Amino acid sequence: MEKNTCMILALDVTDREEALRIAEDVWEFVDAIKVGYPLILATGLGIIRELAEFAPIIADFKVADIPNTNRLICDQVFEAGADAVIVQGFTGRDSLDACLEIASEYRKDVFVVSEMSHPGGAEFLQPAAEAIAKMASEAGAFGLVAPATRPERVRKIRKIIGDKLTIISPGVGAQGGKASDVIAAGADWVIVGRSIYRAESPKEAARQIAEEIEAELRGEN
Ligand code: O7M
């Protein structure tokens, strides 16, 4: 995945036409589009190939099963045309390895969730996050998912993994995180959903966040 705008669109709408319209509107401001259960359950796996016309597609299924089931899920996801899959790390190294094995067959990427952005993410997952980050790094994942709502945690996780893995960070806007803060804390990409797709003009909203990130990277904030 190429790093240009440092932004990923979380396209959690449930209508095919709306999804395609928003993708067409904002593609120039995002490096990838993340699709997950809401859109895929509503419209079918075929939406991945349709959206892939606009940007690389990250399939957010937060895969969290035994190795054999993970293997079967990842195979379907990559066969459907996704460029990367998001998996949970708490299921352990063997489950993660199964995803990495399939990803490597397709020459695609795996992101591992280390800690989640909502308040409940601090309950059970946060205490395990640093161990999950280390495991993902040792296993050779492409990147981690870390919370934009807690930039200090992004900074900590970046410290643990060094530059070996990328970090994608959800929780900007609707959940309270600020894009420039998260990029400053060491994230490679922010993930933004509602602040873009619910905006009166998704294009303007995406442009504004892209400009905020650009200013941060130029050291102007
Ligand atoms: O910007 P939002 O809040 O509308 O959307 C954020 C998106 O990121 C949405 O698709 C969530 O499911 C996802 N997300 C989180 O918000 N928090 C997390 O900790 C993890 C994810 C995610 O993408 O996991 C892979």
Side-chain angles (χ1 to χ4, degrees), residues 14-131:
T14 52
D15 180 80
R16 175 181 167 272
E17 277 72 34
E18 189 185 1
L20 293 171
R21 198 168 55 239
I22 293 169
E24 187 168 9
D25 236 26
V26 309
W27 67 268
E28 62 191 294
F29 300 111
V30 300
D31 290 336
I33 298 174
K34 182 179 85 72
V35 294
Y37 293 106
L39 182 59
I40 290 175
L41 290 176
T43 65
L45 263 182
I47 193 75
I48 291 182
R49 284 221 159 78
E50 291 192 276
L51 288 169
E53 299 283 318
F54 301 102
I57 302 298
I58 303 175
D60 178 9
F61 285 109
K62 296 190 181 67
V63 183
D65 218 308
I66 59 166
N68 187 59
T69 310
N70 276 6
R71 215 172 276 124
L72 294 168
I73 295 169
C74 290
D75 200 41
Q76 292 297 318
V77 168
F78 292 128
E79 205 49 48
D83 299 283
V85 68
I86 296 178
V87 312
Q88 286 287 9
F90 64 75
T91 43
R93 177 69 188 260
D94 52 354
S95 290
L96 172 58
D97 281 345
C99 299
L100 289 167
E101 212 177 279
I102 300 294
S104 120
E105 279 173 24
Y106 283 87
R107 297 174 185 274
K108 303 294 184 186
D109 296 322
V110 172
F111 291 96
V112 180
V113 178
S114 55
E115 178 176 332
M116 295 189 72
S117 60
H118 60 312
E123 273 178 56
F124 301 110
L125 207 44
Q126 191 182 79
E130 291 165 32

Side-chain angles (χ1 to χ4, degrees), residues 10-12 34 60 62 86 113 115-118 145-147 168 170-175 191-195 197:
L11 196 45
D12 295 326
K34 182 179 85 72
D60 178 9
K62 296 190 181 67
I86 296 178
V113 178
E115 178 176 332
M116 295 189 72
S117 60
H118 60 312
V145 182
I168 60 178
V172 164
Q175 294 180 54
I191 300 173
V192 189
R194 284 164 288 180
S195 298
Y197 68 73

Side-chain angles (χ1 to χ4, degrees), residues 143-155:
L144 286 175
V145 182
T149 47
R150 299 183 205 100
E152 75 286 358
R153 295 291 301 157
V154 173
R155 190 167 278 116

